[in-house]
Amino acid sequence: MSEEEGEGTGAEKPRYETLEDLPGIGPSTAQKLRELGFHTVESLAMATVRELEPAGISEKKALAIISAARSSIGIAFIRADELLRMRQNVLRLTTGSKALDKLLDGGLETQTITEFYGEYGSGKSQICHQLCVNVQLPPERGGLNGAALYIDTENTFRTERIVQMARHLGLDPQNVVKNIIYAEAYTSDHQMFLLENADEVIKENNVKLIIVDSLTAHFRSEYLGREMLAVRQQKLNKHMHKLIRLARAFNAVAVVTNQVMAKPDMFFGDAIHPVGGHIVGHTSHTRIYLRKASHGPIRIARLVSSPYLPEGEEIFKITENGIEDISEEEKAKSSGR
Ligand code: ADP
Ligand code: MG
């Protein structure tokens, strides 16, 4: 390690711990900012001037606040070699399957969004459950020693399932369950509100995994028809931006799920049409398409897009224990899938 790898420039940077510590923020402004969902210095560092407007903060003052927050947590123009160093802070979370981890070059990355999409029953929520347990493992077992935040829109989260998975990994189920912070979102607006107000919970609980399962269900049922499409995509886009900013600010893994239906007649060459459409595709950095093998517990995962990994396919299975690799025997049998 070189000397330069420490805190950097040598100039003392002020560290602001709470909103009130930032220059120009008194108790009433802090209160308004909290109402807007900015509870931490980290979240202000990622804010835009326009987002602070509703708190009655002038453009000039907003710029000053954001820039103070940024300097406090060290965001600025950086050289590409420093960018590389930031990339080196990226941590990886195991899926529980070596094959699936291999597809992802070692597991799910922090600081980016991973989207699992597929038909009903393809295993999206099962993977989410497994990740909630795995994130609590120590790094040597593929975890991040952190907690999970689960935003559930379809009421499919089951504590019993977490207990099964935790037991299988030799973890104390009571502790594991305590480290999963759960919120059910009743509407798309509520879903957005939950994420917009999540920063404090994330910080206080050392959350290293943020899940939105399903990302698209409410949006799909509330914004019907062609004329609603633009509004829906705009809202989804905003929601995804919030998620990516949280993942970056707290070096956390972000996971969204997206249910798709096979519509072979609609788009030629594109038999599967993701509900979120292309905007979801743009903002989510890694996309994995899940499908069932002809029968049984075996699932096929295809890495469809990634900023730097090649496309590929791997198989795994869902059992009582959770997400697991398949045996050689099962592999031979499933080759006729
Ligand atoms: P979705 O993609 O719709 O979110 P899920 O992740 O809920 O799908 O996957 C549901 C499937 O997971 C079930 O059909 C079943 O095959 C499997 N599964 C769920 N719980 C268990 C369990 N306890 N033991 C074995 N398989 C399970
Ligand atoms: Mg599901």
Side-chain angles (χ1 to χ4, degrees), residues 51-303:
E51 284 176 320
L52 306 193
E53 220 171 75
I57 296 173
S58 71
E59 190 180 323
K60 200 177 152 201
K61 193 167 159 191
L63 276 171
I65 290 170
I66 293 165
S67 111
R70 284 183 186 162
S71 72
S72 176
I73 71 163
I75 307 170
F77 285 113
I78 50 172
R79 297 190 313 254
D81 61 335
E82 292 175 54
L83 196 60
L84 183 66
R85 205 190 301 163
M86 251 173 82
R87 280 284 306 163
Q88 285 163 354
N89 288 336
V90 168
L91 304 170
R92 283 175 193 279
L93 171 60
T94 183
T95 59
S97 150
K98 288 198 174 70
L100 210 48
D101 286 354
K102 193 180 105 200
L103 188 68
L104 295 163
D105 197 26
L108 276 75
E109 284 189 352
T110 58
Q111 300 179 29
T112 59
I113 298 175
T114 303
E115 175 189 343
F116 289 97
Y117 71 99
E119 287 183 60
Y120 174 77
S122 57
K124 302 178 294 292
S125 297
Q126 292 300 310
I127 290 182
C128 291
H129 280 70
Q130 184 72 62
L131 292 170
C132 284
V133 179
N134 294 357
V135 72
Q136 303 187 38
L137 290 167
E140 59 273 21
R141 293 183 68 188
L144 302 173
N145 261 336
L149 176 70
Y150 202 113
I151 299 179
D152 184 7
T153 70
E154 297 179 306
N155 191 18
T156 53
F157 179 83
R158 292 292 175 274
T159 310
E160 302 90 293
R161 195 64 181 120
I162 297 291
V163 169
Q164 283 181 334
M165 291 171 171
R167 284 222 177 91
H168 176 67
L169 292 176
L171 300 173
D172 175 4
Q174 292 310 314
N175 278 340
V176 170
V177 168
K178 269 187 212 144
N179 282 318
I180 301 170
I181 296 145
Y182 173 85
E184 185 175 353
Y186 300 106
T187 63
S188 66
D189 277 339
H190 185 218
Q191 178 182 337
M192 291 178 76
F193 174 85
L194 287 170
L195 200 64
E196 275 153 25
N197 289 279
D199 62 326
E200 203 167 33
V201 157
I202 291 170
K203 192 174 185 175
E204 280 174 2
N205 295 280
N206 188 35
V207 166
K208 288 287 172 191
L209 169 67
I210 310 164
I211 290 174
V212 186
D213 178 29
S214 132
L215 172 76
T216 43
H218 284 316
F219 288 94
R220 178 173 45 184
S221 66
E222 291 167 28
Y223 296 90
L224 294 165
R226 289 237 148 243
E227 64 284 0
M228 299 290 262
L229 202 64
V231 188
R232 185 179 81 184
Q233 295 305 79
Q234 201 182 357
K235 292 220 170 198
L236 262 172
N237 208 11
K238 189 178 170 209
H239 192 43
M240 291 289 272
H241 268 110
K242 183 69 200 181
L243 184 58
I244 190 71
R245 284 188 281 172
L246 290 170
R248 294 217 177 110
F250 298 101
N251 200 17
V253 171
V255 173
V256 301
T257 67
N258 188 7
Q259 191 152 307
V260 299
M261 279 165 286
K263 286 186 187 168
D265 51 327
M266 279 202 56
F267 294 91
F268 60 99
D270 177 19
I272 295 293
H273 176 58
V275 167
H278 294 300
I279 291 186
V280 175
H282 282 309
T283 17
S284 83
H285 291 212
T286 302
R287 312 187 74 208
I288 296 157
Y289 172 49
L290 296 175
R291 66 186 199 274
K292 286 186 185 178
S294 45
H295 55 81
I298 296 178
R299 298 292 188 276
I300 304 145
R302 158 166 281 273
L303 181 66

